[in-house]
Structures are given as structure tokens and as C-alpha cells.
Amino acid sequence: LWRMRNQILVSGGTQLLFSALAIGLVTYYFIGLNIAASITIGLALALSSTAFAIQLMNEQRILNTPPGQQGFSMLLMQDIAVIPILIIVASFGQQQSDGGVDWYVSLGAVVAVLVIGRFLVNPSLRLVARYGSGEVMTAAALFLVLVTALAMSAAGLSMGMGAFIAGILLADSSFKHQLETEIEPFKGLLLGLFFIAIGMNLDLSLLAQEPAFILAMSIALVAFKCLVIALILKAAKQSLRDSTRIGLMLSQGGEFAFVVMTLAVSSMVLSPEIAGRVNLIVGISMALTSPLVILYARSFNTPNCPPVYEHESVSHDPQVIIAGFGRFGQITARVLSANGIAFTALDKDAEHIEFVRKFGNKVFFGDATRLDLLKKAGIEEARVLLVAIDTPYEINQLVTLVKHEFPHIKIVARARNRIHAAELAQMGVSHFVREMFAGGLKACESVLEAYGYTEGQSKRMTEVIANHDEKILKEVIAKDLKFNGLVSA
């Protein structure tokens, strides 16, 4: 967020405010709604669907390009704006009714949850990680979501908003990547269930009564938002093709519009009929997005046409990954940090996770042998992987996985002993370090100096031993490789 602050505030803020203002004015002057209802509809329709847009940008490999980052900044601004929008809509409802909780009580509840969670979530999850399994951590995260949702409900806000705030708290924890991989299998299912529920709640009788109006408004929404986003990106010095493509990807109404409409109806800001029309417009705009993007791609991505996205990828992921952040991995981490080289650390020890945060680098809690966690850690863009895990079995498992899935990555592996080093060599690892051998040689050199040999003599004597041991190791590796070749033949 801090790195993209200018894009979020300028590009994202401009898109959100201008779209909401224009749509609100149209509903106020031409449709005749009151100010509260017009503001609510304007803010709801200014939001785009993060689920749709991110998926489209990933499929077309645009997310990590400059225009994709501009579009992503708009989505971030919209997600950040959801909490204020829900508070605004809730305050409109309280103004129209005598009961309910005052707006400042609701705002205070949001701030209190964010502040308390900031200091309690990490210690709580660290305790669970130390004494519980991955399933227990997932259960603890779901418990946090439910408690926060109930607290927001008691404060006069929606439970959906409480769940959203809980998501923010979990996203700021050291264990977010482990939680993300744990809930990944459920995400598609629950997102599908969400859209199924929304689809079942759509009032299709309204579409039958006013088909021309609703279809025209849906097309107008897509066209208007596409134009606004394209103009903002063009002003940010992106090409016209890039700007139009991102504009189409973000032109639909968003899933949070359904949440806003539900809150608006329950708060008596909008009638169910008006909210139903808005939901239909959002749903139809979502249905239009993918076909429009495909048609645009077919029009401009032909063999006779240069690629639509001329820009280089702007990946900010570190290119060194350290799997296992115990004493062995920390030595390399210190040297990298001292020389300003960014790295990503993976470990399943909660204490190591807290230690690596002091380095100011990216950290992922979880099992490094899991492919989904490796991908989230940026393994696809990495150049070097240091395997510093304690267990030889897990080291071999990780090396085999990376060699198969990401053969371009250079692997430096921790070897437990000579036999383990030979196993790693058979797997194709050319850089391995026997964890005890180097330290043992250094201790031997110190013993010889203490005995009376000079520093040079001690060094030469240990070098002879090191060269002899390396020669034996190479012979063992060559013999094993030859044997395996005969067996396979």
C-alpha cells in the first residue's frame, strides 16, 4: 500500500470519487431520488468487482505490468473505501429513523476493533501455531471472524462489515500466507456460493417489467466506467490500448454493491424495488465484462498486430528465497541484509517468523514443501533458493519439488552429512553445504594453532583433509550415478 500510495490516492481516488459523483448526480436529477439514496447508489456502482478484474488480469498476464498495477491500485482504493461507504450508508439509515446506534459509536467500534486486533491477533496466532496444527489455526481465524462480525453487529453495523475488518486484521498478521493456503480450497466454493445466493435474490420480474431501462443502464454503466478508467490511465501516460483494456476489465459493478444494497434496504435508505434494479444492473454488467474483454483481445491481439502490452513486468518480489530460518539460514540472511539484498523467508516455527520480521523482509509461515505456498512466496520469479530446513527428508522433498516444477532456479541446499550430500547430488543439486564439515574444519584449524603450528601450517593441513574428503565424495557420487544408470538401463 505504501509503495503504491500515489497510484492508489491519485488514480484510485479519482476513479472512485468521479464515478460516484457522476452516477449520483444522474440518479438525483434524472431519476428523482433523494440525496441519501443518490449518494448510496453512486458509491455502490463506482465499485468494481475485484474477483472478476484480478482473474481477468491474471489470465491475460497484465497484473504485474504498469497498466495492470494502475488498475490494481483502483481496486485497492475501492476495497479500502468499503468500510467508509458502509458507515455512510448506515448513518443515512440512522438519520431516517429514531432508533439505532449513533454514527460515531459505529466509527468508534471500527477503530477499537482495528486497534485491539493490531496487538492481539499476532500473539494469539503465534500461540496457536506453537501448540496447534494447521487446522486449529484455521479454526482460530474463523473464530476471530465470527467474534468480530458479532461485535460489529452489536455496534449497529453489518456482520459482513465485521468479517471484512477481521480479514484486514488477518492480512496484517505474520501467518496470513499459511491461512491463505489453508482456506484456498474453500475460496472458490464460497465465492461461488456467494454469487449463487446473489443470483437467487435477483428480482427477475423487474427485468421483465423494464427490460429496456435495465439493459440500457447496464450498458451505460459499463461504457461510462470504461471511459473514466481509460482516461485516468491515459493521463498516467499509459497507451490507449492498455488503458481501454484495463477500463473494460474494471467496468462492471462490484460484489460489494450487493452488500451495500442489502444494508441500504435494511437501513431504509432505499426501497427493495430500487435496490433490486441496482442489483440487476450490477449483475448484467458483470455478465458483459468477459465477452467484451475477449472481443477486444481478438481485435487487437492478432499475429499481424504487436502485443497490446508493450511494457516490461514490474515484479517487486525478492529473487532469493530462504526455506528454513533457523541458525543455518539466519547466517545467510544477515549477509544478504547487510548488503541490501532482499529475500523471502519461509518457516513453520512461529518464533523464527517473529525473528525474520526484524530483518524487514517478506516472511511466509507454513510448510515450504507445499507448492501453493511456494508460489505465493514468489518462487516463479526467484533466482536462488537456499534450502536450510533441519530435516533431510523435507530437504529432499523440497529439492525434488522445485527441480520438477521450477528447473530454472539455482538451489543451494543444506546437507546433513556425506551420504545426504550424495543424495542431493543425484537429484541434480550442484551447490550443497555440509552443515558440520565446515565448522569442524575450522575447529580443527584452531586446535592445530593452539598446539603450536603456525596459522599457515594449520590452514594447509586442513585444506589437505578438505580436498581428500571432497575427492572421496565425488567418487561416491560418480559411483552412485553410474549404478543408477545401470539399473535404469
Side-chain angles (χ1 to χ4, degrees), residues 93-305:
Q94 289 154 12
Q95 290 173 8
Q96 297 181 15
S97 61
D98 296 331
V101 184
D102 294 328
W103 67 269
Y104 52 83
V105 175
S106 300
L107 181 61
V110 172
V111 174
V113 169
L114 289 173
V115 172
I116 294 172
R118 180 72 179 83
F119 296 100
L120 287 183
V121 171
N122 250 344
S124 301
L125 292 180
R126 194 182 312 126
L127 190 66
V128 172
R130 185 179 301 173
Y131 298 108
S133 62
E135 291 80 2
V136 175
M137 176 171 286
T138 305
L142 292 175
F143 176 75
L144 174 66
V145 171
L146 289 173
V147 170
T148 309
L150 290 171
M152 289 295 98
S153 178
L157 299 174
S158 68
M159 293 186 71
M161 182 176 176
F164 185 77
I165 295 174
I168 292 175
L169 294 174
L170 292 172
D172 194 40
S173 73
S174 302
F175 308 95
K176 67 172 184 176
H177 304 291
Q178 172 71 8
L179 290 170
E180 194 173 357
T181 54
E182 292 291 343
I183 68 170
E184 188 72 29
F186 305 103
K187 188 168 69 173
L189 177 65
L190 294 176
L191 190 61
L193 182 62
F194 171 77
F195 282 110
I196 289 172
I198 294 300
M200 292 177 67
N201 284 320
L202 292 179
D203 190 353
L204 296 180
S205 63
L206 294 173
L207 180 60
Q209 294 171 12
E210 304 172 307
F213 173 78
I214 291 176
L215 288 174
M217 289 298 101
S218 301
I219 295 171
L221 175 66
V222 170
F224 172 72
K225 289 182 71 174
C226 178
L227 178 63
V228 170
I229 294 167
L231 289 175
I232 292 173
L233 292 180
K234 193 73 179 69
K237 300 181 179 179
Q238 303 299 334
S239 72
L240 181 60
R241 288 184 179 180
D242 290 353
S243 302
T244 306
R245 175 73 64 87
I246 297 298
L248 286 172
M249 290 179 176
L250 273 67
S251 62
Q252 74 290 125
E255 55 269 12
F256 273 114
F258 300 131
V259 179
V260 174
M261 289 299 104
T262 302
L263 178 61
V265 171
S266 64
S267 302
M268 295 183 292
V269 177
L270 293 174
S271 66
E273 291 77 16
I274 294 176
R277 291 185 180 92
V278 174
N279 286 337
L280 279 172
I281 291 170
V282 172
I284 294 172
S285 70
M286 286 182 170
L288 291 173
T289 303
S290 292
L292 288 173
V293 172
I294 292 170
L295 287 173
Y296 189 86
R298 287 189 174 183
S299 301
F300 292 99
N301 281 350
T302 62
N304 300 322
C305 181

Side-chain angles (χ1 to χ4, degrees), residues 72-86:
F72 184 58
S73 67
M74 294 181 184
L75 295 172
L76 282 175
M77 184 66 194
Q78 293 172 10
D79 288 343
I80 293 170
V82 166
I83 290 179
I85 289 173
L86 293 176

